[in-house]
């Protein structure tokens, strides 16, 4: 008689790198159902299902890639694999994620291109940055020193006023 646990959660294999990180799965579960406790056995089952789903999609995407005589699986191959396997409901969301990724990548390229288009070597930019930091430190030190002088001046003025007041109070008490 076989153990149901073994059927749901196959024993760990030496190829642990073929599964998703448990911490990632736990985080996803916690985000999706924060108020529900999930048993470890269920977590393992979810992990295995996710891993199997990725293997299934990858294999089908590889098949699509081979049929088109390509050597690299691209996003369109994955989207077609979703269609072929009957996961059309996921296709729209996958396309939205793909578009977001493309926008982020384009933004990164634009930012790196801006730096390259400046025409200033990286060493010169670093030197200028260090110079700006040094100038900012000097300005900060000068401002702190000015503040210290202001506090000292105010303290001396208060001390002088206090002494004058004390002298006047003594003079006034001597008169009585």
């Amino acid at each position: 008689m076989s153990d149901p646990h073994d059927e749901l959660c196959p024993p760990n294999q030496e190829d642990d790198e073929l599964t998703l990180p448990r911490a990632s799965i736990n985080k996803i579960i916690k985000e999706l159902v924060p108020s529900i406790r999930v048993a470890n056995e269920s977590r393992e089952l979810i992990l295995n299902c996710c891993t199997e789903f990725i293997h299934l999609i990858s294999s089908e995407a590889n098949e699509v890639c081979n049929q088109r005589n390509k050597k690299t699986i691209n996003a369109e191959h994955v989207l077609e694999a979703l269609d072929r396997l009957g996961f059309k409901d996921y296709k729209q969301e996958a396309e939205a994620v793909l578009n977001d990724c493309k926008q982020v990548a384009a933004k990164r390229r634009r930012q790196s291109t801006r730096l390259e288009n400046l025409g200033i070597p990286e060493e010169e930019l670093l030197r200028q940055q260090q110079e700006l930091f040094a100038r900012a430190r000097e300005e900060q030190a000068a401002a702190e020193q000015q503040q210290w002088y202001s506090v000292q001046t105010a303290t001396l003025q208060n001390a002088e006023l206090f002494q004058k007041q004390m002298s006047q109070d003594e003079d006034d008490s001597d008169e009585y």
Side-chain angles (χ1 to χ4, degrees):
M1 185 167 163
S2 68
D3 183 10
H5 180 270
D6 290 341
E7 290 176 16
L8 295 176
C9 306
N12 288 340
Q13 300 171 351
E14 291 179 7
D15 294 331
D16 271 343
E17 59 196 57
L18 295 179
T19 64
L20 298 169
R22 281 176 175 69
S24 298
I25 295 297
N26 290 338
K27 183 178 178 184
I28 291 169
I29 293 169
K30 193 70 170 168
E31 286 176 7
L32 293 175
V33 285
S35 60
I36 297 176
R37 291 184 53 185
V38 179
N40 286 339
E41 192 175 270
S42 299
R43 290 176 189 271
E44 283 294 319
L45 177 59
I46 292 169
L47 174 69
N48 288 331
C49 288
C50 291
T51 302
E52 191 59 36
F53 179 76
I54 291 171
H55 284 278
L56 179 67
I57 298 297
S58 300
S59 297
E60 190 63 30
N62 186 46
E63 185 66 33
V64 171
C65 182
N66 287 336
Q67 287 174 355
R68 294 185 182 170
N69 295 322
K70 301 289 183 179
K71 293 185 179 183
T72 303
I73 298 172
N74 63 36
E76 288 72 29
H77 300 146
V78 175
L79 294 172
E80 187 174 328
L82 286 170
D83 269 343
R84 285 184 177 189
L85 293 170
F87 295 109
K88 292 180 182 172
D89 296 343
Y90 295 113
K91 186 176 178 182
Q92 188 175 7
E93 192 170 334
E95 287 172 334
V97 170
L98 176 62
N99 289 334
D100 289 346
C101 290
K102 285 181 178 180
Q103 288 174 356
V104 168
K107 185 177 179 182
R108 283 188 189 145
R109 280 193 302 273
R110 281 194 306 272
Q111 287 174 342
S112 70
T113 305
R114 284 184 198 148
L115 183 63
E116 292 166 2
N117 288 340
L118 285 175
I120 302 172
E122 194 172 332
E123 295 82 20
E124 176 61 18
L125 289 171
L126 181 60
R127 188 195 62 74
Q128 289 177 6
Q129 182 185 39
Q130 290 171 340
E131 192 176 290
L132 287 171
F133 286 157
R135 195 174 319 138
R137 281 191 294 273
E138 289 172 6
E139 290 172 6
Q140 181 66 29
E144 288 173 359
Q145 188 175 21
Q146 182 61 39
Q147 184 181 11
W148 185 83
Y149 283 138
S150 297
V151 169
Q152 292 301 316
T153 303
T155 303
L156 287 174
Q157 288 174 349
N158 286 338
E160 289 173 3
L161 285 174
F162 180 73
Q163 283 184 346
K164 282 183 185 177
Q165 185 66 37
M166 293 298 289
S167 297
Q168 266 186 347
D169 287 348
E170 284 178 13
D171 289 345
D172 291 343
S173 67
D174 287 345
E175 289 178 7
Y176 293 116

